[in-house]
Amino acid sequence: MRIDAIYDHGRLEFTPPLQLKHDRVRIVVEVPDDEIVDTNDSNIMSPDLRRQARAVLSRFEAIRNAPPPPGNEPPELTQKQLERIEAFEMRAQYRIEQGRTD
């Protein structure tokens, strides 16, 4: 679930208010870069290193989302394979009609 929150002196206030089932819940928080105080701490990435990291991440995302290269298409299905697929689909349809979901 995505929900807005306001950071107020070390506390997150959900907007709208939200009641959680457990006292401790792991969440992911996305903070805009311009809201983070830039310090000289060695654990904080420099803006240049952050830009380089984003560029690498963008390249990886492009590779991950790219279509497969030509020539790697699966082989054509045989008539027997097509008949088996059709039989499985018919069996699934009969189960649905009978109210069976297993």
Side-chain angles (χ1 to χ4, degrees), residues 5-75:
I6 297 172
Y7 176 82
D8 184 18
H9 296 91
R11 296 183 56 118
L12 287 177
E13 296 176 15
F14 295 111
T15 56
L18 178 69
Q19 184 174 5
L20 301 173
K21 291 181 180 179
H22 299 94
D23 292 334
R24 283 180 57 108
V25 177
R26 182 167 191 230
I27 61 172
V28 176
V29 178
E30 184 176 323
V31 179
D33 289 340
D34 59 344
E35 292 295 334
I36 298 174
V37 175
D38 191 16
T39 65
N40 292 329
D41 189 350
S42 61
N43 293 330
I44 305 294
M45 285 194 290
S46 69
D48 187 46
L49 184 58
R50 196 175 297 127
R51 278 191 294 277
Q52 290 175 0
R54 283 194 192 113
V56 169
L57 182 61
S58 294
R59 286 195 302 257
F60 285 145
E61 288 290 324
I63 291 169
R64 188 179 77 165
N65 295 327
N72 286 345
E73 293 84 16

